[in-house]
Amino acid sequence: MQVLLAGATGAIGRPLIRALTADGHSVLAIVRNPANHGLVRELGAEPVTADVLDHDGLLRALDGMRADAVIHQATALRDAKPQRRIPADDPTGLLRTVGSANLLDAAELVGARRFLTQSLILGYGYRDHGTVPLTERDPFGVYDGGVADEVVRACVSAEEQAFAASGLEAVALRYGLFYGPGAFSDLFGDMMRKHQPVGPRGEGGVNSWLHVDDAAAATVAALERGVAGRAYNLADDTPISWGEFFRLVRDSKQAPRPIRLPLWLVRLGVPYIAALMGDTTMRISSDLARAELGWQPRYSSVAEGLAAG
């Protein structure tokens, strides 16, 4: 297929371009900064300069182009700064709300028949979900009036807009927390080396993770075999606590012992980080993706993925 990809230079975008081209697809990569054209071409895609949040500019840049599918992987997580609350105009949130609407119009313009959107397992809600793995049959978009509701709301918006679009085979990908090159493991490894606090003390909540290479492989499988109107959970086989994650990152990066703060202090300074690391526990089942997409993670655990480099 000819694929139009938004978020081409992000943590998933880079391995995704490689995975798409390896499977015979060609990629038009939307990039905001022309300085990234060389990188995108080196990865195997053809760059298109546009801003996903600029509706008219995006459509002008794509005028006359054709694509069979659009994949929305655009985020602004690399530029995120710790703050007391997640505002309604949070850049990543806007990319999931406004950006999704713009990319759906772009899909119509280029004649695409399939649309894949990035969602997150955190859309199930920032709370303790217990020990039973969550499946796609569990309620998605659970709000508790807390500090992280904006993240949940943005994930729900991205999914609902895609599924409501007429004439499109839409698929939502509910990824686990990302690690690997350019993702959380690199971020926290750098913070450890700079002696910056990485989170609260203790083991914290348990969560499900996904290596960025496995995320890319799952996305290609969903592009080729995903059922229209379906959401898929995508995570590895080994949920772990934040305490274990920090230990694995420290060992793999040969970083200093991480600085960790009392939970009450993190809650006071960055409440949504406390909600994520201290209050949220979710174990995720990816059985539907295994059955319908023929996908399974190459790395069954964070320990295995980090050990592989």
Side-chain angles (χ1 to χ4, degrees):
M1 302 181 204
Q2 177 83 295
V3 177
L4 178 64
L5 172 63
T9 61
I12 296 182
R14 299 183 189 204
L16 179 54
I17 292 174
R18 298 189 193 99
L20 286 165
T21 55
D23 243 30
H25 306 291
S26 56
V27 181
L28 292 170
I30 299 172
V31 291
R32 282 191 306 166
N33 188 350
N36 287 325
H37 283 195
L39 168 63
V40 165
R41 289 194 175 99
E42 183 180 335
L43 291 168
E46 184 62 28
V48 178
T49 304
D51 183 346
V52 170
L53 294 178
D54 177 1
H55 177 274
D56 293 344
L58 175 65
L59 297 191
R60 281 195 303 270
L62 295 172
D63 188 31
M65 297 184 181
R66 306 297 293 174
D68 302 298
V70 175
I71 301 179
H72 183 359
Q73 296 285 3
T75 68
L77 295 175
R78 284 181 297 185
D79 301 324
K81 305 296 185 204
Q83 51 191 330
R84 280 197 51 77
R85 55 181 291 274
I86 301 173
D89 62 352
D90 169 69
T92 291
L94 286 177
L95 285 166
R96 292 197 170 114
T97 54
V98 177
S100 292
N102 294 345
L103 284 169
L104 286 165
D105 284 349
E108 182 179 2
L109 176 70
V110 301
R113 59 183 176 82
R114 287 182 73 75
F115 189 95
L116 273 61
T117 192
Q118 181 188 121
S119 189
L120 294 174
I121 60 172
L122 295 175
Y124 286 107
Y126 283 62
R127 59 189 175 87
D128 186 348
H129 292 268
T131 58
V132 177
L134 294 169
T135 74
E136 294 82 356
R137 293 185 296 275
D138 286 293
F140 190 81
V142 178
Y143 306 103
D144 62 5
V147 293
D149 275 1
E150 285 299 331
V151 176
V152 178
R153 188 170 291 109
C155 290
V156 170
S157 175
E159 292 195 13
E160 288 183 345
Q161 288 187 74
F163 292 144
S166 61
L168 274 180
E169 301 169 358
V171 176
L173 304 174
R174 296 174 181 170
Y175 298 107
L177 301 184
F178 297 128
Y179 74 98
F184 272 127
S185 50
D186 278 3
L187 169 66
F188 287 118
D190 289 343
M191 293 173 69
M192 290 175 193
R193 292 192 186 96
K194 295 175 182 176
H195 303 286
Q196 297 173 341
V198 297
R201 294 172 185 163
E203 289 304 298
V206 171
N207 229 306
S208 293
W209 294 81
L210 186 65
H211 193 284
V212 291
D213 287 348
D214 283 328
T219 304
V220 175
L223 173 71
E224 297 171 349
R225 296 183 289 279
V227 177
R230 191 86 86 200
Y232 293 98
N233 291 341
L234 301 166
D236 69 21
D237 304 321
T238 315
I240 59 173
S241 69
W242 281 94
E244 178 65 12
F245 179 75
F246 289 139
R247 287 191 289 273
L248 290 169
V249 171
R250 178 196 65 199
D251 292 346
S252 71
K253 303 291 187 182
Q254 298 182 334
R257 183 184 182 91
I259 297 173
R260 301 172 66 187
L261 305 173
L263 180 59
W264 66 265
L265 186 57
V266 177
R267 200 181 303 281
L268 183 65
V270 194
Y272 69 91
I273 296 296
L276 172 63
M277 296 185 179
D279 305 333
T280 302
T281 286
M282 58 174 66
R283 297 166 171 84
I284 296 295
S285 167
S286 301
D287 287 348
L288 183 63
R290 293 173 187 269
E292 292 190 355
L293 305 182
W295 170 85
Q296 64 179 15
R298 177 182 179 185
Y299 304 115
S300 64
S301 68
V302 174
E304 185 178 333
L306 289 179

